[in-house]
Amino acid sequence: MTPTFRRPDPQTVPLLLMTVVTGIVEAASLLGLGHVFTAVMTGNVLFLGFGLAGEDLSVVGSGTAVVAFALGALGGHHVNLRLVERHGVRWTPVAVAGVAVLLLAAALTALGLPRQYGAPTGRDLLVIAVLALAMGWRNATTLRLAVPGLPTTVLTRGFTGLFRVHAALDSRERQLAAAVAMTAGAIAGALLLHLRPAVPLLVAAAAELLSAELFRREAARPAVSRGPDGDHRP
């Protein structure tokens, strides 16, 4: 019996690029804006708890990120719903481009800011808030896309899935690729941070916009290549 060739999901490449963006953004926020996460809320909740317990961590910084992320997720769900109603299967590139615009706004706000090793300043907090808002919307978007193994911000479940006995090969490949992508983003962000926090954020905005363009090109492909549910068929 001839094995059936399965084309990779067309969303894989832009989602992996968005995972790289997460690594860049977290490098800029954690290492350059005062030890605060803006995409990985597990870390922020822990930092918030440690800070409330008296450790030398910014309660205000972590709290700002958590609140802004929640607002971004809440608003993102509503905006994405409207985009689906208006654009149908072409909603994704619009949503991802919106996240890119927020990342660009954060980068422009960060222009001139030095790398911050201590508690975030008022302007740092503004950048943190805009970044977390963007990442909240991003997470609402990837949650709606629901591509297994590619949430773009959380790797814990993916790492666990790598060692699942009966995991599908393509699922393992996506989970491993996501880990590599986030590591690459973290390395790039940490290196770019030597040029001040605005630089990695500008790169992150550009990469997110490129992801939106990849989604747009995929959505523009002829409908004959799609099944009735909008999925691609080989």
Side-chain angles (χ1 to χ4, degrees):
M1 182 176 178
T2 304
T4 302
F5 174 73
R6 181 181 176 86
R7 289 179 57 190
D9 191 303
Q11 297 174 327
T12 296
V13 173
L15 284 171
L16 284 175
L17 185 55
M18 289 159 67
T19 306
V20 172
V21 170
T22 297
I24 296 173
V25 167
E26 291 297 49
S29 60
L30 185 64
L31 303 177
L33 296 172
H35 301 296
V36 175
F37 287 106
T38 52
V40 182
M41 288 300 108
T42 302
N44 264 340
V45 170
L46 291 173
F47 282 175
L48 186 60
F50 298 154
L52 290 172
E55 296 298 323
D56 188 20
L57 291 165
S58 174
V59 171
V60 174
S62 297
T64 296
V66 169
V67 171
F69 184 94
L71 292 174
L74 178 63
H77 283 302
H78 287 286
V79 170
N80 289 346
L81 183 60
R82 299 294 177 269
L83 291 176
V84 170
E85 293 173 350
R86 176 173 293 186
H87 300 284
V89 295
R90 299 171 187 263
W91 71 275
T92 310
V94 183
V96 177
V99 173
V101 170
L102 286 177
L103 291 176
L104 178 60
L108 295 177
T109 305
L111 286 175
L113 278 178
R115 183 170 177 168
Q116 178 62 267
Y117 291 98
T121 65
R123 195 158 150 217
D124 290 326
L125 289 173
L126 180 57
V127 178
I128 287 168
V130 178
L131 287 176
L133 193 71
M135 292 296 101
W137 187 2
R138 151 85 81 74
N139 274 264
T141 301
T142 54
L143 186 63
R144 189 174 189 91
L145 289 172
V147 176
L150 287 173
T152 76
T153 53
V154 181
L155 294 181
T156 304
R157 292 184 67 180
F159 264 89
T160 306
L162 278 173
F163 305 104
R164 195 170 57 185
V165 176
H166 300 296
L169 179 59
D170 59 342
S171 177
R172 289 182 192 270
E173 291 172 345
R174 283 197 300 266
Q175 290 155 355
L176 182 59
V180 172
M182 192 172 293
T183 302
I187 293 171
L191 292 174
L192 290 169
L193 192 57
H194 292 294
L195 302 174
R196 296 197 170 196
V199 177
L201 295 181
L202 286 170
V203 172
E208 191 82 6
L209 192 59
L210 176 58
S211 298
E213 173 60 15
L214 293 174
F215 276 120
R216 187 198 66 78
R217 291 184 182 183
E218 183 57 36
R221 291 182 63 183
V224 293
S225 65
R226 299 178 185 270
D229 56 355
D231 291 336
H232 284 262
R233 301 291 184 257

